[in-house]
């Protein structure tokens, strides 16, 4: 048992409001994020650097500054709310239920774009086994849908520059 095991199954609040340009949607909180109450909080997670390097934020934000995203037209949520040590601990049913919950959130707040951060979780949650990174042909409610690479430091397929480029492509599409 890790020292963060106490954070298992905890949830963290969404950073969301009306009028967002982009609602970023992670897979689920990790234990470190649940312990801190901040999205993408584990040191080594590249979400915050990718946001900055792609031009979404004027400087590199610390996860504790997540509320500063709202005035920039950005928000953060997750497909599955409960914290786990690894995303593969989530069941297919949890991810599909999370997709329905995300759809309701998008209907309520009407962001322009929903950007799911993690292709494998997106494929499972939305039953799109052949989806690729980038814009998707379907929408979530009225929002355009985009899939970005998982910013976890464990994702060796996308190094920081390539991750920032994927985020920049989304930003430039706005």
């Amino acid at each position: 048992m890790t020292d963060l095991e106490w954070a298992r199954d905890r949830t963290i609040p969404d950073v969301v409001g009306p009028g967002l340009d982009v609602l970023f949607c992670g897979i689920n909180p990790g234990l470190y994020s649940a312990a801190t109450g901040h999205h993408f909080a584990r040191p080594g997670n590249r979400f915050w650097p990718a946001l900055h390097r792609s031009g979404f934020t004027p400087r590199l934000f610390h996860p504790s500054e997540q509320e500063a995203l709202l005035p920039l037209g950005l928000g953060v949520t997750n497909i599955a709310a409960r914290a786990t040590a690894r995303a593969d601990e989530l069941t297919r049913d949890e991810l599909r239920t999370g997709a329905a919950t995300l759809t309701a959130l998008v209907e309520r707040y009407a962001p322009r774009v929903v950007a799911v951060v993690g292709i494998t979780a997106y494929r499972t949650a939305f039953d799109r086994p052949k989806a690729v990174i980038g814009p998707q042909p379907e929408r979530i409610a009225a929002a355009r849908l985009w899939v970005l690479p998982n910013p976890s430091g464990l994702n060796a397929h996308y190094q920081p520059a390539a991750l920032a480029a994927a985020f920049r492509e989304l930003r430039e599409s706005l």
Side-chain angles (χ1 to χ4, degrees):
M1 180 147 100
T2 69
D3 58 345
L4 294 175
E5 194 61 31
W6 63 269
R8 181 174 295 281
D9 298 328
R10 293 176 66 103
T11 61
I12 57 178
D14 294 331
V15 177
V16 66
L20 297 178
D21 289 320
V22 181
L23 177 61
F24 291 96
C25 181
I27 300 166
N28 75 308
L31 299 181
Y32 195 94
S33 288
T36 65
H38 306 301
H39 293 273
F40 301 102
R42 179 171 281 291
N45 189 294
R46 300 169 302 173
F47 176 78
W48 298 99
L51 277 186
H52 175 60
R53 290 181 71 186
S54 65
F56 274 112
T57 60
R59 63 177 174 78
L60 178 59
F61 286 5
H62 184 270
S64 64
E65 298 177 286
Q66 64 189 16
E67 295 294 326
L69 293 175
L70 291 172
L72 300 175
L74 308 174
V76 185
T77 188
N78 289 289
I79 294 174
R82 78 177 180 97
T84 61
R86 297 179 325 275
D88 65 5
E89 295 176 43
L90 299 170
T91 67
R92 177 180 295 272
D93 286 344
E94 281 180 285
L95 291 171
R96 290 197 172 159
T97 298
T101 302
L102 175 62
T103 299
L105 185 75
V106 171
E107 287 171 346
R108 178 176 179 193
Y109 289 104
R112 290 175 53 199
V113 176
V114 174
V116 178
V117 184
I119 186 77
T120 303
Y122 171 75
R123 287 174 176 160
T124 300
F126 291 90
D127 197 27
R128 301 284 189 259
K130 297 185 189 286
V132 296
I133 297 293
Q136 303 303 303
E138 48 282 330
R139 291 180 172 260
I140 296 180
R144 287 190 305 139
L145 179 59
W146 203 280
V147 177
L148 292 168
N150 186 330
S152 167
L154 300 175
N155 183 358
H157 297 294
Y158 279 84
Q159 294 303 311
L163 187 64
F167 276 62
R168 185 176 308 105
E169 184 181 354
L170 166 60
R171 184 185 56 77
E172 290 173 353
S173 80
L174 298 173

